[in-house]
Amino acid sequence: MKHLILKAVMVSVLTFLAAGSLKAQDENVKDSVKRKKFEINYGVGIAIGEKKDSTGKVDQNKGRFIGGVTFTRLDIGLTKLVDNGSLSLSAANNFLDYKPWKTSTVSFDILQMGYRFNSHFKVYLAGGFDWTHIRLDQNITIKKNAPILDYDVITDATFSKNRFSASYVHFPLNFELRTKENNHGKRFRFVFGPEVAFLLDGKVKQISEKYGKVKVNDDYHFTPFRYGGTVRVGYGGLGLFAKYYANDMFDTDAQKGLKNMSFGLTFGLN
């Protein structure tokens, strides 16, 4: 029940913020010819109090608030489990052995709000969604509603796909440093900052000839509150990212010290 309440609260917050940003967009569109207060980069943004130079262009060296609905920082990469500092799983966690090239992460942001100090530095809080997909290597199924993270060995079917996933709503706080634009209108970016996330759901998805496609939802003892940090380096709208979550993946004693990290490509770095 607590997870259903948490999901409802998180989705309501994001919906409320998105609705507020869209309302602000509609109100400002009417005055956009006079005030020119919109930035559009991979979505709809709102810049408040823009300063212009003598030529009528926005002065990038003047500070201003930014924010709105967006679709940026699409992260697609690989996930690695870190068992008490080791990339090899302990005996207690060996049932989570996974296919390394098919264990992945996907995340993106849909809202952001912050302050651009000048053309080289800005700080912003974002909101979006994050998925971790663990492709289990063994022919097992994770038990639903079990008092601990437990599993059954399946002997009457062979899974062609056995995916164990967690979905979170996340709120990263980003500090972005940018170089001056080159002759192609692009620049290098360095982005870093902490992140907190709240569990939406866990899922087991399996495919076999005997049972077909099976999907089961449960929290599966994934930690309800996650925190960590992200680093991105990029050029133009493309970059590389690395994430590390400082607390445990699961809220069970047997999995104490089991964390996860991920790395890969960022699209729409903005």
Side-chain angles (χ1 to χ4, degrees):
M1 177 63 72
K2 64 180 181 180
H3 295 291
L4 291 176
I5 295 174
L6 179 59
K7 291 177 198 177
V9 171
M10 290 300 102
V11 172
S12 297
V13 168
L14 287 177
T15 303
F16 173 78
L17 291 175
S21 296
L22 288 173
K23 182 179 179 181
Q25 173 192 347
D26 291 338
E27 292 175 351
N28 280 277
V29 163
K30 298 176 182 178
D31 297 328
S32 62
V33 175
K34 295 180 180 179
R35 293 186 288 159
K36 302 292 184 183
K37 291 189 177 181
F38 283 89
E39 282 185 345
I40 301 178
N41 288 305
Y42 303 97
V44 178
I46 303 171
I48 304 173
E50 287 183 342
K51 304 295 184 181
K52 298 181 180 180
D53 58 22
S54 58
T55 65
K57 295 182 179 180
V58 174
D59 189 344
Q60 296 292 336
N61 291 314
K62 296 294 184 179
R64 65 190 187 279
F65 289 97
I66 55 173
V69 179
T70 183
F71 182 77
T72 51
R73 293 171 293 279
L74 170 61
D75 294 334
I76 301 176
L78 299 175
T79 290
K80 298 292 182 183
L81 304 190
V82 183
D83 195 338
N84 289 283
S86 173
L87 292 177
S88 299
L89 295 175
S90 63
N93 296 319
N94 191 55
F95 68 97
L96 292 172
D97 193 23
Y98 58 94
K99 300 180 186 296
W101 295 103
K102 292 185 177 181
T103 293
S104 60
T105 183
V106 177
S107 71
F108 58 85
D109 295 336
I110 60 172
L111 298 169
Q112 65 180 20
M113 182 178 300
Y115 191 80
R116 187 190 302 277
F117 291 86
N118 51 50
S119 64
H120 302 298
F121 179 61
K122 68 177 179 179
V123 178
Y124 54 95
L125 177 68
F129 299 94
D130 181 286
W131 292 267
T132 299
H133 301 301
I134 303 171
R135 287 291 295 271
L136 297 175
D137 197 33
Q138 300 184 46
N139 212 60
I140 63 171
T141 185
I142 308 297
K143 291 183 179 180
K144 180 179 180 179
N145 295 327
I148 60 174
L149 185 62
D150 202 0
Y151 65 96
D152 287 322
V153 177
I154 306 302
T155 58
D156 62 345
T158 300
F159 297 123
S160 59
K161 183 174 186 178
N162 192 4
R163 192 175 74 185
F164 185 35
S165 306
S167 57
Y168 284 83
V169 57
H170 71 176
F171 298 94
L173 176 63
N174 293 318
F175 299 85
E176 181 175 318
L177 301 172
R178 311 189 300 175
T179 63
K180 185 178 179 180
E181 286 187 349
N182 59 22
N183 294 333
H184 301 289
K186 295 182 179 181
R187 65 179 91 208
F188 287 96
R189 303 169 188 265
F190 177 65
V191 186
F192 64 96
E195 172 187 308
V196 296
F198 300 88
L199 181 68
L200 291 175
D201 208 356
K203 178 186 290 186
V204 168
K205 180 179 179 180
Q206 297 169 326
I207 299 176
S208 65
E209 289 187 5
K210 181 171 183 178
Y211 297 109
K213 184 183 295 185
V214 177
K215 297 180 182 179
V216 182
N217 292 78
D218 188 43
D219 63 16
Y220 291 110
H221 295 284
F222 281 107
T223 183
F225 174 71
R226 187 173 72 181
Y227 57 89
T230 303
V231 174
R232 293 185 179 89
V233 219
Y235 174 70
L238 183 64
L240 301 174
F241 78 89
K243 297 181 182 181
Y244 181 76
Y245 300 106
N247 60 329
D248 295 345
M249 285 186 69
F250 302 95
D251 60 1
T252 51
D253 291 337
Q255 280 67 50
K256 188 173 181 60
L258 182 64
K259 308 177 190 298
N260 67 314
M261 62 175 292
S262 58
F263 55 90
L265 294 174
T266 296
F267 302 91
L269 185 59
N270 174 41

